[in-house]
Amino acid sequence: MAKTAHETAKALIAAEPQISAAEKTLTSARAEYNAGFKKYEDGFWELYNGRRSYDAGMEEYLEGLQKYTDGYEKYAEGEVEYYDGYTEFSVNKEKLDLGWDQYEEGRKALDEAKEKYEQGLIDYEDGLEEYNTKLADAEKELADAREKIEDAGNAQWYVFTRDDNQGYSEYNDNAERIDRIAAIFPMFFLLVAGLVCLTTMSRMVEEQRTQIGTLKALGYSRGDIMRHYMTYAVTAALVGGVIGAIGGCYLFPSVIVYAYSMLYKITDIHYMFTASNLILSIGSMTLAIALTVYFSCDKALKETPASLMRPKAPKAGKRIFLEKISFIWGKMNFFAKVSARNLIRYKKRMLMTIVGIAGCTALSLTGFGLKNSIMDVADLQYTDIYQYSGYLAYKDDIKLSELNSIYKTLTDYEPETEYTRALIKQYDLEHSGNSMQGYITAVEDPELFETFVDMRERRSGEEIKFSEQDGAVITEKLAKMLGAKIGDEITVKVSEGVNRRLKITAITEHYAGHYIYVSESDYKAVFGSLPKYNMIYFQNGISMDDDEQEKFTEHVLENKNVAAVMMNAASLNSIHDTMKIMDLVVLVLIVSAAALAFVVLYNLTNVNITERIREIATLKVLGFYDVEVSSYVFRESIVLSLLGALVGLGLGVALCMFVINTAEIDEIMFGRKIHAISYLWAFLVTAAFSLIVNLIMTRVLKKISMVESLKSVE
């Protein structure tokens, strides 16, 4: 379009000379016409006045007419040229108008582009100025950094392994915790399960006395008879062991991995079927059953065939020590006295029941206690011991004005905020051949810091006055790992070949991490210089609400001198989330212990009923009701279950403390207190399964046939 307008304008300019020439010709022709006409008119009058004048004028007229005709022709040609030129002019004018509109639009776009260009030029100049300023600042910082590097002397290399990654180290700690628990509990389950197997296989041999006597009378050798029962027992043990080992290798890892998948992204589970574990688990149970069968059969095979084919004579009743206590024995009814005599009469069954129930109760209490000790870590550390709200980190080379700006940031949010500076630095520590890594915390204001951290002796609860200490206060787990006690001096490795000695004046209760607290003056006395503080502990009474915690953190981080902020509430929530995973693991232990308790109770109660089936049938013949028979039999089981549960609670405390000390990882000290509700739950679990077993065995008692049970073997 722009090209058409240009061509139209060019054509108009080229046509202008022609139009002008045509207009001049037209004007000239008109002038000649007017002159000729005037002559004609003069000639006419002259003709009228005189012939001579006419002839002369006629000639002039003709000449003028000829000129007029020629001029008129030129005029006509000029007029045609004029109209042609005018038509072309009109067309070209329309093109010119269209081109002019396009020109105006283009000019407007050009003006807008020019404005953008001018604004861009201004932005460029501003950016260039800012760039030059920042470049100058960066060059200055680079020069300062180079100067510091030159002043720093030889550079030190720090090599970090994957153990330094927090996520990896936490996962490793969790795996180590599970590994230690897995190394302890199977041993106790194995002992209790072995007791169940011992009872079961012993009872099987006792029930087969008649068959053993018959085989012996028919001439079968001791080896043949022993092989018969050994094959049966070992086959059952191997089949059960294989099923249990393979099932356990799938079930328990799946449960544990499922629990930890709530915290970690675990894609694949690799089930480890190691030969050593399979041989240990299957072989130990098979060996226990094989030995039980061997000793039971060996004892039976020592008797004659005649004695074996007769029922084993019941143990004779004896007077018990309780009968000598007349004020108790005299107040007991008949069934209570019979039950007391039976408990003492069947000492082996009593001992096995108490041991079995005690073992299961101890395992249940250990499970509950382990949960208590693990879950208490977060609350004890971040609620009872840590009284401050949090701490923040800042640069080592901070100026006083910048430090004051941090203080102002804290007080702007909460005017009543209390704070004190501290240096936290990790060192390698050694004592008595033991080495650990720990954090030395040098505090600017020890008296204020006493209100921030509740330092106390764990067993006695005695308060430790940090401001009055003439030395270091060390955390309990670190002291234990180093083998240090109050009055000892530990070695602090400052750098290669440079060590310092630090005296321990108190050991404080602490559950997470390893710390040594010293005052500013003690730090200077040991290290020869004042501490270069890098932390600020603060207490502002902020609530545990996540939104408020996040709002405060964002407020503090707006100060460019603050490098990081750590809130105790966030740490507490994080540890709670991690420790909740242990709930499922502990639940597996508790359910397993409860199931084992059920098996023990069921097995021992069944053995009790089978051994006394003739006695029970006699009671039915004598007219005792089913309820009376059941109470007579189960009274002993209930008493033994209660005794076993009480013994198990005491045993569980020792077992739980042993498990806690064994399962602890280096960085964490578990709680040492079992909650009262855990004792109650462990007792109720045992009591509940005892009641369930009694209800199940009540049906067995009702089905006992009086006639068949009292028939003599002869």
Side-chain angles (χ1 to χ4, degrees):
M1 189 66 72
K3 184 177 180 183
T4 303
H6 178 70
E7 290 175 352
T8 303
K10 186 176 180 181
L12 286 174
I13 293 170
E16 281 182 359
Q18 295 177 3
I19 295 172
S20 298
E23 287 179 349
K24 288 179 180 180
T25 304
L26 181 60
T27 302
S28 176
R30 282 180 178 176
E32 290 177 358
Y33 167 76
N34 290 333
F37 183 76
K38 188 174 183 302
K39 289 178 180 181
Y40 165 75
E41 193 174 24
D42 291 341
F44 177 76
W45 288 107
E46 288 177 2
L47 179 62
Y48 179 76
N49 294 323
R51 189 160 181 94
R52 285 183 175 179
S53 297
Y54 169 78
D55 290 337
M58 187 66 172
E59 289 179 5
E60 292 179 2
Y61 165 75
L62 291 174
E63 291 176 2
L65 181 61
Q66 184 63 40
K67 291 180 181 180
Y68 166 77
T69 302
D70 295 339
Y72 186 79
E73 288 177 0
K74 292 181 180 180
Y75 165 77
E77 291 176 0
E79 188 177 22
V80 171
E81 291 179 3
Y82 167 78
Y83 283 114
D84 290 341
Y86 185 78
T87 302
E88 186 177 358
F89 169 77
S90 299
V91 174
N92 291 332
K93 188 174 184 304
E94 290 179 1
K95 293 181 179 179
L96 178 62
D97 292 339
L98 180 61
W100 183 259
D101 292 339
Q102 294 175 351
Y103 164 75
E104 290 294 335
E105 292 177 359
R107 184 174 180 180
K108 183 179 180 181
L110 180 62
D111 291 339
E112 293 177 355
K114 186 177 180 181
E115 289 180 2
K116 291 182 179 179
Y117 164 75
E118 291 174 350
Q119 183 62 42
L121 182 61
I122 294 173
D123 295 340
Y124 164 75
E125 291 174 349
D126 293 341
L128 182 62
E129 183 180 355
E130 183 179 359
Y131 164 76
N132 292 330
T133 302
K134 290 185 176 181
L135 180 62
D137 294 340
E139 289 177 348
K140 184 177 182 302
E141 291 180 3
L142 183 60
D144 293 341
R146 286 173 177 169
E147 184 178 352
K148 288 182 179 180
I149 292 174
E150 292 175 357
D151 295 339
N154 295 329
Q156 293 182 348
W157 287 87
Y158 294 91
V159 180
F160 295 97
T161 65
R162 60 182 178 179
D163 293 325
D164 297 310
N165 181 281
Q166 185 177 2
Y168 178 85
S169 61
E170 287 181 358
Y171 184 83
N172 183 66
D173 291 342
N174 290 327
E176 185 179 351
R177 190 180 297 119
I178 294 297
D179 180 65
R180 294 190 178 187
I181 293 175
I184 300 171
F185 271 89
M187 300 303 298
F188 295 97
F189 279 107
L190 183 64
L191 292 175
V192 178
L195 177 64
V196 175
C197 294
L198 174 64
T199 306
T200 303
M201 300 313 299
S202 298
R203 183 59 197 165
M204 183 196 73
V205 174
E206 290 294 332
E207 289 178 348
Q208 295 285 317
R209 283 176 56 85
T210 302
Q211 184 175 343
I212 293 173
T214 302
L215 292 173
K216 193 172 182 180
L218 292 175
Y220 284 92
S221 66
R222 289 170 54 91
D224 291 335
I225 299 173
M226 181 77 75
R227 190 182 308 110
H228 169 72
Y229 290 101
M230 188 67 73
T231 301
Y232 167 77
V234 170
T235 302
L238 287 174
V239 173
V242 170
I243 294 174
I246 296 177
C249 286
Y250 276 107
L251 175 62
F252 293 105
S254 299
V255 173
I256 294 172
V257 169
Y258 170 75
Y260 278 96
S261 64
M262 292 182 287
L263 187 62
Y264 303 103
K265 184 178 180 181
I266 303 175
T267 54
D268 298 320
I269 304 176
H270 299 283
Y271 298 98
M272 303 298 293
F273 294 95
T274 59
S276 58
N277 288 340
L278 294 175
I279 292 174
L280 179 63
S281 59
I282 299 173
S284 58
M285 294 307 303
T286 303
L287 180 62
I289 291 176
L291 291 174
T292 302
V293 173
Y294 174 80
F295 288 114
S296 299
C297 287
D298 183 69
K299 180 180 178 182
L301 290 172
K302 289 179 180 180
E303 299 183 34
T304 62
S307 63
L308 287 171
M309 287 187 286
R310 287 195 300 269
K312 190 175 182 179
K315 290 185 177 181
K318 297 180 181 179
R319 292 176 62 85
I320 60 175
F321 72 93
L322 200 59
E323 296 182 33
K324 298 178 181 180
I325 308 175
S326 58
F327 70 92
I328 296 178
W329 186 258
K331 295 180 180 180
M332 295 172 63
N333 59 27
F334 171 75
F335 286 109
K337 292 178 180 178
V338 173
S339 297
R341 286 185 176 132
N342 285 336
L343 289 175
I344 305 301
R345 180 183 179 187
Y346 300 102
K347 293 183 179 65
K348 180 180 178 181
R349 189 180 73 243
M350 178 186 71
L351 180 62
M352 293 180 68
T353 303
I354 291 176
V355 171
I357 297 302
C360 296
T361 305
L363 288 172
S364 298
L365 181 61
T366 301
F368 285 112
L370 185 60
K371 177 185 176 182
N372 295 152
S373 64
I374 294 175
M375 294 303 294
D376 283 349
V377 169
D379 292 329
L380 288 171
Q381 186 65 53
Y382 291 95
T383 302
D384 293 351
I385 296 177
Y386 286 167
Q387 301 293 323
Y388 58 88
S389 301
Y391 60 86
L392 58 85
Y394 60 86
K395 299 180 295 184
D396 294 341
D397 57 348
I398 193 171
K399 299 177 182 178
L400 181 60
S401 59
E402 295 173 332
L403 180 63
N404 290 331
S405 72
I406 297 178
Y407 293 155
K408 187 176 185 303
T409 300
L410 292 173
T411 54
D412 283 346
Y413 190 88
E414 173 54 54
E416 301 299 325
T417 299
E418 295 181 315
Y419 50 82
T420 183
R421 289 191 299 169
L423 166 67
I424 301 179
K425 190 173 182 180
Q426 190 178 44
Y427 290 97
D428 290 329
L429 310 171
E430 293 182 354
H431 180 73
S432 300
N434 302 313
S435 61
M436 286 291 296
Q437 285 189 332
Y439 291 94
I440 292 183
T441 302
V443 182
E444 184 180 31
D445 188 347
E447 293 183 357
L448 180 60
F449 195 72
E450 287 179 352
T451 65
F452 285 1
V453 178
D454 184 10
M455 298 185 186
R456 64 199 181 198
E457 204 282 327
R458 180 176 59 83
R459 293 180 178 83
S460 65
E462 182 181 355
E463 180 184 4
I464 298 174
K465 286 289 186 179
F466 178 52
S467 59
E468 299 176 1
Q469 299 299 316
D470 186 20
V473 178
I474 187 173
T475 54
E476 183 176 348
K477 184 63 181 288
L478 179 58
K480 178 182 177 182
M481 299 296 293
L482 290 175
K485 58 184 182 298
I486 296 176
D488 290 348
E489 289 188 352
I490 60 175
T491 301
V492 181
K493 299 184 69 175
V494 179
S495 60
E496 189 66 30
V498 180
N499 298 329
R500 295 288 186 270
R501 304 284 292 176
L502 196 59
K503 182 180 179 181
I504 299 174
T505 57
I507 299 176
T508 183
E509 179 181 359
H510 202 87
Y511 295 92
H514 304 314
Y515 291 89
I516 298 176
Y517 299 105
V518 295
S519 64
E520 181 183 90
S521 57
D522 291 330
Y523 182 91
K524 182 179 180 181
V526 173
F527 293 91
S529 63
L530 290 173
K532 294 182 179 180
Y533 297 115
N534 56 4
M535 299 283 182
I536 297 178
Y537 287 91
F538 60 88
Q539 169 59 267
N540 59 2
I542 191 171
S543 70
M544 302 290 287
D545 182 67
D546 292 338
D547 292 336
E548 186 173 352
Q549 295 273 332
E550 184 177 355
K551 179 181 177 182
F552 171 76
T553 301
E554 292 176 353
H555 168 75
V556 174
L557 289 176
E558 288 178 357
N559 190 316
K560 64 180 181 180
N561 298 306
V562 177
V565 181
M566 180 61 68
M567 303 298 294
N568 279 346
S571 301
L572 179 63
N573 294 333
S574 176
I575 294 178
H576 270 156
D577 292 339
T578 304
M579 294 305 181
K580 282 180 181 178
I581 297 173
M582 294 300 296
D583 285 354
L584 187 57
V585 178
V586 172
L587 179 62
V588 172
L589 299 177
I590 295 172
V591 170
S592 301
L596 194 59
F598 175 80
V599 173
V600 170
L601 283 169
Y602 181 86
N603 186 61
L604 293 175
T605 304
N606 188 45
V607 169
N608 182 29
I609 293 174
T610 304
E611 287 181 346
R612 301 168 61 185
I613 191 168
R614 294 174 64 85
E615 178 185 349
I616 294 170
T618 302
L619 293 176
K620 287 191 172 186
V621 171
L622 294 176
F624 284 82
Y625 293 106
D626 289 337
V627 175
E628 293 175 322
V629 173
S630 298
S631 63
Y632 169 71
V633 174
F634 295 141
R635 184 182 292 109
E636 300 170 21
S637 298
I638 293 173
V639 172
L640 291 177
S641 297
L642 293 176
L643 289 175
L646 293 175
V647 173
L649 291 178
L651 180 63
V653 174
L655 178 60
C656 185
M657 291 301 106
F658 173 74
V659 170
I660 288 172
N661 283 304
T662 306
E664 273 184 351
I665 61 176
D666 291 345
E667 292 296 322
I668 299 291
M669 185 178 80
F670 290 163
R672 296 295 192 268
K673 183 179 180 181
I674 303 176
H675 298 178
I677 190 67
S678 296
Y679 290 97
L680 179 61
W681 276 115
F683 184 84
L684 290 177
V685 167
T686 303
F689 279 99
S690 177
L691 179 62
I692 292 172
V693 170
N694 290 342
L695 291 175
I696 294 174
M697 299 308 295
T698 298
R699 297 183 179 181
V700 177
L701 291 177
K702 290 181 179 180
K703 293 180 181 179
I704 292 177
S705 173
M706 293 179 286
V707 177
E708 294 296 328
S709 300
L710 292 175
K711 283 183 179 179
S712 175
V713 178
E714 293 84 1

